[in-house]
Each structure stands twice: as C-alpha cells, then as structure tokens.
Amino acid sequence: LDDFRPLLFRTRDFGAHWESITGTGIAADHFTRAVRFDPERDGLLYAGTERGPYVSLDDGAHWRALQLDLPIVPITDLAVRGDELIAATQGRGYWILDGLAVLRRLDASSEAVRLFAPPPCWRVPMQRAEDPRLAGTNPHGGVVVRYWLADAPAKETRIELEFQDAEGKLLRRFDRKDLLSKDSKDSRDEQRYVLEPKAGLNLFAWPLATEGARRLTGTAMWNGNLSGPRVPPGEYRIVLRVGDVEQRLPCEVG
C-alpha cells in the first residue's frame, strides 16, 4: 500500500494492547524489517530498517542511527549475541557490531572516566593484519578493554591500565611510555601495546601475555619470540588509573 512508515509497536500484556514506539529519530520512510531488545539492559532496543540500523536507549521514545561504517542497505534481520549485534542485510552480507557494553552503559552520566566491562574472551590464537587490503579485518584477540575519557589527559597526567589475577597479583601494566624503541628488533606485537589515550572512546587489547623478556644487546635471534607466557583460563581484574581516578572491573578468560 506504499506505506513506508516504521510502524514499531510494543505490547506489555501478551498482545491484548499495543502502543507505538516509533518515537522520534527514525526517518518517516525507513520502514522496519526487524526489532530486537537487548537482554542485558532494559529499554535498549535495536531496529533494522530499509535504510539501516537504529538504536534506542529509552524503549523507543527516541531513536538514533547506528550506521557507522555500514553502507546504506536494508537490514532484514537482527540478533544480539553476547557483546555483539549481528545484522543480515539485503546486500547479501552480514554486519557485526561488537562492544555493546558501551551502549549498555551509555547515559547522561557526568563521569570524566568510565571503564566498560569486556565480554568473556577465549584463549585462542588470533591473527590480525593492520592493512588487510580487500579482505576483512579480524577482531582483536585477548581481552578487549574500552574506556571513555571526557577530555584528553595532559601529558603529565598518569594513566595506567593493569591486568591482575583473581587475588590481585599484578600480571601486566601498560602506560603511555613506549615499551620498545622503534628500532627494536623485538616482537612487533609487543610494540603495539602502548596507551595512546584521547578524548572520547578508547580501545586497548591485551593479548593475555605476561611480561616478556628483553633482548640482550648484540644478540641474534632469528624468529625469536620474547613475549611472556599467556595466562591460563580463569577470572582476572582490570584496573584503569587516570590521574587520581581509579576504576576496577572483572574479566573472564575461557
């Protein structure tokens, strides 16, 4: 009938009565193909429309686009799995948005520093090319930590990210200093683990390795890997320090 309105509705009594949750934010001609609720946060909804995905933090009263890098394409189905939102598209492909912990804690809080709980991670090998060219980019391996800063910290501000075992024993600490010089011949993987905090959302991936060995001057090690051993499955802690602010959260390695 050429009615392209979103037409989103909700029932609270098993279908006896329905109310519109189209709210504001979805374009009038972006008709809806799928709507899903988040299993971990009340009021968090995802909608797949003819022109892309939308998200609502208040049970559909207000919506905002969740397009990011996704081209304009019909979203035919949505599924929430763990920390990811999976969308099937009319473009014959799948789109996966990870880091739902950020949306689950998104609100009008005035906190200057916020650490988001990471999903459980699996202790499996993970290869990730920095420039995959025409291929897709693999997700980060290990524990993926996201933290939000209201402002970029000054150069003299202390910022540290620690990983501890369940008893609080320090396993690895990262800060803003370069762990290795750019001329070092040590593992290229190690050279990536430097904190570069900026205003807004930040991401850091810990590959589950403890402190590694240092290369002795003048030695030759072909194909040598000086990374420390990887931690076993279990419960761990994340500690973020920014100036005088400290936040802690648990994390799980499977």
Side-chain angles (χ1 to χ4, degrees), residues 94-115:
Y94 291 96
W95 177 74
I96 300 177
L97 173 68
D98 61 354
L100 290 186
V102 177
L103 288 176
R104 288 165 178 164
R105 287 197 62 192
L106 192 63
D107 53 35
S109 171
S110 60
E111 289 181 285
V113 179
R114 180 177 296 191
L115 177 63

PDB file of all heavy atoms in Angstrom, residues 94-115:
ATOM      1  N   TYR A  94      26.749  -9.955   6.045  1.00  0.00           N
ATOM      2  CA  TYR A  94      26.479  -9.778   7.463  1.00  0.00           C
ATOM      3  C   TYR A  94      27.340  -8.643   8.001  1.00  0.00           C
ATOM      4  O   TYR A  94      28.467  -8.433   7.565  1.00  0.00           O
ATOM      5  CB  TYR A  94      26.794 -11.064   8.240  1.00  0.00           C
ATOM      6  CG  TYR A  94      25.842 -12.186   7.948  1.00  0.00           C
ATOM      7  CD1 TYR A  94      26.155 -13.155   6.995  1.00  0.00           C
ATOM      8  CD2 TYR A  94      24.633 -12.280   8.617  1.00  0.00           C
ATOM      9  CE1 TYR A  94      25.276 -14.187   6.721  1.00  0.00           C
ATOM     10  CE2 TYR A  94      23.755 -13.307   8.351  1.00  0.00           C
ATOM     11  CZ  TYR A  94      24.077 -14.256   7.401  1.00  0.00           C
ATOM     12  OH  TYR A  94      23.204 -15.265   7.133  1.00  0.00           O
ATOM     13  N   TRP A  95      26.792  -7.940   8.951  1.00  0.00           N
ATOM     14  CA  TRP A  95      27.475  -6.833   9.607  1.00  0.00           C
ATOM     15  C   TRP A  95      27.451  -7.109  11.100  1.00  0.00           C
ATOM     16  O   TRP A  95      26.396  -7.418  11.657  1.00  0.00           O
ATOM     17  CB  TRP A  95      26.748  -5.533   9.280  1.00  0.00           C
ATOM     18  CG  TRP A  95      27.273  -4.282   9.930  1.00  0.00           C
ATOM     19  CD1 TRP A  95      28.403  -3.600   9.621  1.00  0.00           C
ATOM     20  CD2 TRP A  95      26.630  -3.540  10.987  1.00  0.00           C
ATOM     21  NE1 TRP A  95      28.511  -2.479  10.404  1.00  0.00           N
ATOM     22  CE2 TRP A  95      27.455  -2.422  11.250  1.00  0.00           C
ATOM     23  CE3 TRP A  95      25.463  -3.709  11.732  1.00  0.00           C
ATOM     24  CZ2 TRP A  95      27.140  -1.477  12.223  1.00  0.00           C
ATOM     25  CZ3 TRP A  95      25.154  -2.779  12.699  1.00  0.00           C
ATOM     26  CH2 TRP A  95      25.980  -1.674  12.936  1.00  0.00           C
ATOM     27  N   ILE A  96      28.612  -7.057  11.752  1.00  0.00           N
ATOM     28  CA  ILE A  96      28.701  -7.353  13.185  1.00  0.00           C
ATOM     29  C   ILE A  96      29.274  -6.138  13.901  1.00  0.00           C
ATOM     30  O   ILE A  96      30.365  -5.674  13.569  1.00  0.00           O
ATOM     31  CB  ILE A  96      29.577  -8.588  13.445  1.00  0.00           C
ATOM     32  CG1 ILE A  96      28.983  -9.816  12.745  1.00  0.00           C
ATOM     33  CG2 ILE A  96      29.692  -8.850  14.937  1.00  0.00           C
ATOM     34  CD1 ILE A  96      29.835 -11.068  12.900  1.00  0.00           C
ATOM     35  N   LEU A  97      28.535  -5.636  14.875  1.00  0.00           N
ATOM     36  CA  LEU A  97      28.992  -4.546  15.725  1.00  0.00           C
ATOM     37  C   LEU A  97      29.334  -5.126  17.087  1.00  0.00           C
ATOM     38  O   LEU A  97      28.468  -5.671  17.770  1.00  0.00           O
ATOM     39  CB  LEU A  97      27.899  -3.478  15.864  1.00  0.00           C
ATOM     40  CG  LEU A  97      28.195  -2.369  16.876  1.00  0.00           C
ATOM     41  CD1 LEU A  97      29.353  -1.500  16.397  1.00  0.00           C
ATOM     42  CD2 LEU A  97      26.957  -1.510  17.117  1.00  0.00           C
ATOM     43  N   ASP A  98      30.600  -5.026  17.487  1.00  0.00           N
ATOM     44  CA  ASP A  98      30.977  -5.509  18.815  1.00  0.00           C
ATOM     45  C   ASP A  98      31.033  -4.330  19.786  1.00  0.00           C
ATOM     46  O   ASP A  98      30.845  -3.175  19.414  1.00  0.00           O
ATOM     47  CB  ASP A  98      32.316  -6.252  18.768  1.00  0.00           C
ATOM     48  CG  ASP A  98      33.455  -5.360  18.285  1.00  0.00           C
ATOM     49  OD1 ASP A  98      33.189  -4.217  17.883  1.00  0.00           O
ATOM     50  OD2 ASP A  98      34.609  -5.821  18.318  1.00  0.00           O
ATOM     51  N   GLY A  99      31.261  -4.636  21.051  1.00  0.00           N
ATOM     52  CA  GLY A  99      31.344  -3.578  22.049  1.00  0.00           C
ATOM     53  C   GLY A  99      30.006  -3.061  22.518  1.00  0.00           C
ATOM     54  O   GLY A  99      29.864  -1.868  22.825  1.00  0.00           O
ATOM     55  N   LEU A 100      29.003  -3.939  22.613  1.00  0.00           N
ATOM     56  CA  LEU A 100      27.691  -3.487  23.095  1.00  0.00           C
ATOM     57  C   LEU A 100      27.727  -3.025  24.551  1.00  0.00           C
ATOM     58  O   LEU A 100      26.799  -2.352  25.006  1.00  0.00           O
ATOM     59  CB  LEU A 100      26.655  -4.608  22.940  1.00  0.00           C
ATOM     60  CG  LEU A 100      26.245  -4.966  21.507  1.00  0.00           C
ATOM     61  CD1 LEU A 100      25.110  -5.973  21.531  1.00  0.00           C
ATOM     62  CD2 LEU A 100      25.838  -3.725  20.714  1.00  0.00           C
ATOM     63  N   ALA A 101      28.791  -3.387  25.269  1.00  0.00           N
ATOM     64  CA  ALA A 101      28.910  -2.916  26.654  1.00  0.00           C
ATOM     65  C   ALA A 101      28.880  -1.397  26.726  1.00  0.00           C
ATOM     66  O   ALA A 101      28.409  -0.818  27.708  1.00  0.00           O
ATOM     67  CB  ALA A 101      30.205  -3.443  27.283  1.00  0.00           C
ATOM     68  N   VAL A 102      29.368  -0.741  25.673  1.00  0.00           N
ATOM     69  CA  VAL A 102      29.353   0.722  25.647  1.00  0.00           C
ATOM     70  C   VAL A 102      27.913   1.231  25.577  1.00  0.00           C
ATOM     71  O   VAL A 102      27.511   2.122  26.332  1.00  0.00           O
ATOM     72  CB  VAL A 102      30.162   1.240  24.447  1.00  0.00           C
ATOM     73  CG1 VAL A 102      30.084   2.755  24.359  1.00  0.00           C
ATOM     74  CG2 VAL A 102      31.617   0.789  24.565  1.00  0.00           C
ATOM     75  N   LEU A 103      27.112   0.670  24.682  1.00  0.00           N
ATOM     76  CA  LEU A 103      25.711   1.082  24.584  1.00  0.00           C
ATOM     77  C   LEU A 103      24.946   0.742  25.857  1.00  0.00           C
ATOM     78  O   LEU A 103      24.044   1.477  26.268  1.00  0.00           O
ATOM     79  CB  LEU A 103      25.051   0.399  23.389  1.00  0.00           C
ATOM     80  CG  LEU A 103      25.466   0.900  21.998  1.00  0.00           C
ATOM     81  CD1 LEU A 103      24.803   0.063  20.911  1.00  0.00           C
ATOM     82  CD2 LEU A 103      25.103   2.370  21.826  1.00  0.00           C
ATOM     83  N   ARG A 104      25.287  -0.372  26.479  1.00  0.00           N
ATOM     84  CA  ARG A 104      24.573  -0.798  27.678  1.00  0.00           C
ATOM     85  C   ARG A 104      24.822   0.124  28.869  1.00  0.00           C
ATOM     86  O   ARG A 104      24.033   0.142  29.812  1.00  0.00           O
ATOM     87  CB  ARG A 104      24.969  -2.236  28.023  1.00  0.00           C
ATOM     88  CG  ARG A 104      24.380  -3.255  27.036  1.00  0.00           C
ATOM     89  CD  ARG A 104      25.031  -4.601  27.141  1.00  0.00           C
ATOM     90  NE  ARG A 104      24.396  -5.549  26.211  1.00  0.00           N
ATOM     91  CZ  ARG A 104      24.918  -6.705  25.834  1.00  0.00           C
ATOM     92  NH1 ARG A 104      26.109  -7.067  26.303  1.00  0.00           N
ATOM     93  NH2 ARG A 104      24.275  -7.482  24.992  1.00  0.00           N
ATOM     94  N   ARG A 105      25.908   0.865  28.846  1.00  0.00           N
ATOM     95  CA  ARG A 105      26.200   1.801  29.938  1.00  0.00           C
ATOM     96  C   ARG A 105      26.091   3.258  29.508  1.00  0.00           C
ATOM     97  O   ARG A 105      26.400   4.156  30.282  1.00  0.00           O
ATOM     98  CB  ARG A 105      27.605   1.548  30.491  1.00  0.00           C
ATOM     99  CG  ARG A 105      27.746   0.285  31.318  1.00  0.00           C
ATOM    100  CD  ARG A 105      29.011   0.331  32.154  1.00  0.00           C
ATOM    101  NE  ARG A 105      28.995   1.427  33.107  1.00  0.00           N
ATOM    102  CZ  ARG A 105      30.069   1.828  33.795  1.00  0.00           C
ATOM    103  NH1 ARG A 105      31.231   1.256  33.590  1.00  0.00           N
ATOM    104  NH2 ARG A 105      29.989   2.825  34.656  1.00  0.00           N
ATOM    105  N   LEU A 106      25.650   3.482  28.291  1.00  0.00           N
ATOM    106  CA  LEU A 106      25.576   4.844  27.778  1.00  0.00           C
ATOM    107  C   LEU A 106      24.423   5.585  28.435  1.00  0.00           C
ATOM    108  O   LEU A 106      23.277   5.139  28.399  1.00  0.00           O
ATOM    109  CB  LEU A 106      25.384   4.817  26.257  1.00  0.00           C
ATOM    110  CG  LEU A 106      25.556   6.142  25.516  1.00  0.00           C
ATOM    111  CD1 LEU A 106      26.980   6.644  25.673  1.00  0.00           C
ATOM    112  CD2 LEU A 106      25.213   5.962  24.043  1.00  0.00           C
ATOM    113  N   ASP A 107      24.721   6.712  29.047  1.00  0.00           N
ATOM    114  CA  ASP A 107      23.690   7.541  29.665  1.00  0.00           C
ATOM    115  C   ASP A 107      24.233   8.957  29.797  1.00  0.00           C
ATOM    116  O   ASP A 107      25.272   9.299  29.240  1.00  0.00           O
ATOM    117  CB  ASP A 107      23.255   6.982  31.032  1.00  0.00           C
ATOM    118  CG  ASP A 107      24.439   6.742  31.967  1.00  0.00           C
ATOM    119  OD1 ASP A 107      25.402   7.533  31.916  1.00  0.00           O
ATOM    120  OD2 ASP A 107      24.407   5.769  32.742  1.00  0.00           O
ATOM    121  N   ALA A 108      23.544   9.768  30.562  1.00  0.00           N
ATOM    122  CA  ALA A 108      23.934  11.175  30.708  1.00  0.00           C
ATOM    123  C   ALA A 108      24.859  11.385  31.904  1.00  0.00           C
ATOM    124  O   ALA A 108      24.914  12.460  32.474  1.00  0.00           O
ATOM    125  CB  ALA A 108      22.681  12.040  30.849  1.00  0.00           C
ATOM    126  N   SER A 109      25.608  10.371  32.283  1.00  0.00           N
ATOM    127  CA  SER A 109      26.487  10.473  33.435  1.00  0.00           C
ATOM    128  C   SER A 109      27.541  11.555  33.225  1.00  0.00           C
ATOM    129  O   SER A 109      27.992  11.808  32.106  1.00  0.00           O
ATOM    130  CB  SER A 109      27.180   9.125  33.683  1.00  0.00           C
ATOM    131  OG  SER A 109      28.184   9.249  34.670  1.00  0.00           O
ATOM    132  N   SER A 110      27.934  12.197  34.326  1.00  0.00           N
ATOM    133  CA  SER A 110      28.956  13.250  34.261  1.00  0.00           C
ATOM    134  C   SER A 110      30.339  12.714  34.587  1.00  0.00           C
ATOM    135  O   SER A 110      31.258  13.500  34.814  1.00  0.00           O
ATOM    136  CB  SER A 110      28.585  14.381  35.238  1.00  0.00           C
ATOM    137  OG  SER A 110      28.504  13.885  36.564  1.00  0.00           O
ATOM    138  N   GLU A 111      30.515  11.404  34.632  1.00  0.00           N
ATOM    139  CA  GLU A 111      31.818  10.829  34.936  1.00  0.00           C
ATOM    140  C   GLU A 111      32.857  11.263  33.907  1.00  0.00           C
ATOM    141  O   GLU A 111      32.600  11.243  32.701  1.00  0.00           O
ATOM    142  CB  GLU A 111      31.747   9.301  34.937  1.00  0.00           C
ATOM    143  CG  GLU A 111      30.998   8.701  36.114  1.00  0.00           C
ATOM    144  CD  GLU A 111      30.996   7.181  36.030  1.00  0.00           C
ATOM    145  OE1 GLU A 111      30.251   6.640  35.212  1.00  0.00           O
ATOM    146  OE2 GLU A 111      31.764   6.545  36.785  1.00  0.00           O
ATOM    147  N   ALA A 112      34.035  11.654  34.385  1.00  0.00           N
ATOM    148  CA  ALA A 112      35.114  12.044  33.485  1.00  0.00           C
ATOM    149  C   ALA A 112      35.860  10.838  32.949  1.00  0.00           C
ATOM    150  O   ALA A 112      36.506  10.916  31.904  1.00  0.00           O
ATOM    151  CB  ALA A 112      36.086  12.982  34.198  1.00  0.00           C
ATOM    152  N   VAL A 113      35.785   9.715  33.675  1.00  0.00           N
ATOM    153  CA  VAL A 113      36.448   8.474  33.279  1.00  0.00           C
ATOM    154  C   VAL A 113      35.454   7.335  33.451  1.00  0.00           C
ATOM    155  O   VAL A 113      34.761   7.257  34.476  1.00  0.00           O
ATOM    156  CB  VAL A 113      37.702   8.199  34.140  1.00  0.00           C
ATOM    157  CG1 VAL A 113      38.356   6.884  33.729  1.00  0.00           C
ATOM    158  CG2 VAL A 113      38.687   9.351  34.033  1.00  0.00           C
ATOM    159  N   ARG A 114      35.368   6.482  32.461  1.00  0.00           N
ATOM    160  CA  ARG A 114      34.466   5.338  32.577  1.00  0.00           C
ATOM    161  C   ARG A 114      35.092   4.120  31.909  1.00  0.00           C
ATOM    162  O   ARG A 114      35.495   4.166  30.749  1.00  0.00           O
ATOM    163  CB  ARG A 114      33.115   5.642  31.925  1.00  0.00           C
ATOM    164  CG  ARG A 114      32.138   4.471  32.035  1.00  0.00           C
ATOM    165  CD  ARG A 114      30.787   4.803  31.457  1.00  0.00           C
ATOM    166  NE  ARG A 114      30.132   5.873  32.182  1.00  0.00           N
ATOM    167  CZ  ARG A 114      28.854   6.198  31.993  1.00  0.00           C
ATOM    168  NH1 ARG A 114      28.130   5.568  31.096  1.00  0.00           N
ATOM    169  NH2 ARG A 114      28.312   7.167  32.684  1.00  0.00           N
ATOM    170  N   LEU A 115      35.176   3.039  32.680  1.00  0.00           N
ATOM    171  CA  LEU A 115      35.705   1.766  32.187  1.00  0.00           C
ATOM    172  C   LEU A 115      34.533   0.835  31.913  1.00  0.00           C
ATOM    173  O   LEU A 115      33.657   0.657  32.758  1.00  0.00           O
ATOM    174  CB  LEU A 115      36.632   1.155  33.241  1.00  0.00           C
ATOM    175  CG  LEU A 115      37.242  -0.216  32.940  1.00  0.00           C
ATOM    176  CD1 LEU A 115      38.150  -0.149  31.721  1.00  0.00           C
ATOM    177  CD2 LEU A 115      38.018  -0.719  34.163  1.00  0.00           C
TER     178      LEU A 115
END
